[in-house]
Amino acid sequence: MTRLAIAINLDRCTGCNTCAMACKMQNNVPMGMAWNRVLNENCEFEVGVQGTYPHVSRAHLPVACQHCENPACLRVCPTGTTYKDDKGRVEIDYEKCIGCRMCMAACPYNARVFNWNEPVRDPDFNYGDKDVPVRGKGVVEKCTLCKERTDRGDEPMCVKCCLAKARIFGDLDDPESEVSRVVRERNATALLPEQGTRPQVRYFN
């Protein structure tokens, strides 16, 4: 079996949003939408900090689809649009999506976005990987773990472009992989374990 995964070192993440921009460009994500986000923990505003000057700090939390082993989105999808593939990724068959958004309601990580209108791109043409499907109005979309790249044996673009080298990509079912070693040795944990979704994206310090 294969379980492709990402482990993220929160101590190394600087909140630069390069991962979010790289994801957007690789996957032809329209304006006003993001598959990959960097949250500032315990901050009221996006540019906020924790504490009181001069004793302030910021903690960053990158969030995208967690590619769960037991995905809540898959369980509620009425058409089989959402599925787990043979590499352990949670994927979407856009041709089957009826836009009911049940998956969005079920996802505890708020990882999915919906095309309410015809997608707008700036510049006014498709960009990114030529093999990435173009999504239209009325469908849900999300991080695919850069399916087109990882099918070719490449890293997801967010991993490749991370300036701080905070992201590690690999197969959790391979005990010799770097991501497996980090999860094991650094006690990398998942978000919201109480949800029972068993995410394949892990975090460590």
Side-chain angles (χ1 to χ4, degrees):
M1 294 292 290
T2 301
R3 284 187 299 151
L4 295 182
I6 295 176
I8 301 175
N9 186 337
L10 296 177
D11 283 344
R12 294 191 67 89
C13 178
T14 64
C16 69
N17 281 284
T18 299
C19 56
M21 293 301 102
C23 170
K24 195 175 186 76
M25 294 306 299
Q26 163 69 20
N27 294 291
N28 196 26
V29 179
M31 301 300 104
M33 296 172 64
W35 290 4
N36 208 324
R37 298 164 292 137
V38 181
L39 308 179
N40 294 318
E41 293 189 89
N42 300 317
C43 293
E44 185 176 350
F45 303 106
E46 184 177 344
V47 294
V49 295
Q50 300 174 50
T52 304
Y53 178 83
H55 307 291
V56 295
S57 64
R58 296 181 74 180
H60 310 289
L61 180 65
V63 179
C65 176
Q66 302 292 293
H67 294 277
C68 305
E69 290 182 55
N70 181 32
C73 55
L74 187 152
R75 294 197 303 272
V76 301
C77 179
T79 62
T81 296
T82 296
Y83 64 97
K84 286 277 285 183
D85 71 8
D86 60 355
K87 291 184 170 62
R89 300 168 298 203
V90 175
E91 301 293 353
I92 297 174
D93 183 339
Y94 302 111
E95 297 297 319
K96 292 182 179 179
C97 183
I98 60 173
C100 71
R101 306 187 304 284
M102 291 289 289
C103 57
M104 295 179 72
C107 176
Y109 310 101
N110 195 28
R112 294 180 171 227
V113 290
F114 185 68
N115 286 297
W116 291 98
N117 303 297
E118 286 300 332
V120 175
R121 293 178 173 86
D122 185 11
D124 188 23
F125 53 80
N126 292 319
Y127 40 79
D129 195 305
K130 66 179 177 58
D131 295 324
V132 172
V134 177
R135 292 83 55 195
K137 179 181 177 181
V139 299
V140 173
E141 56 184 76
K142 66 170 193 67
C143 160
T144 64
L145 215 57
C146 282
K147 182 181 188 304
E148 294 72 28
R149 289 180 57 82
T150 50
D151 277 350
R152 298 191 294 258
D154 296 328
E155 296 176 322
M157 193 58 83
C158 64
V159 176
K160 181 176 177 62
C161 291
C162 179
L163 301 175
K165 304 300 179 190
R167 293 172 175 246
I168 299 165
F169 172 72
D171 181 5
L172 284 176
D173 278 352
D174 176 2
E176 303 303 316
S177 69
E178 185 180 3
V179 73
S180 289
R181 182 183 58 78
V182 164
V183 167
R184 200 167 50 241
E185 296 177 4
R186 302 291 293 272
N187 194 30
T189 57
L191 294 180
L192 305 179
E194 68 276 9
Q195 295 291 327
T197 54
R198 301 197 303 277
Q200 288 162 208
V201 176
R202 306 292 178 86
Y203 298 85
F204 65 100
N205 295 104

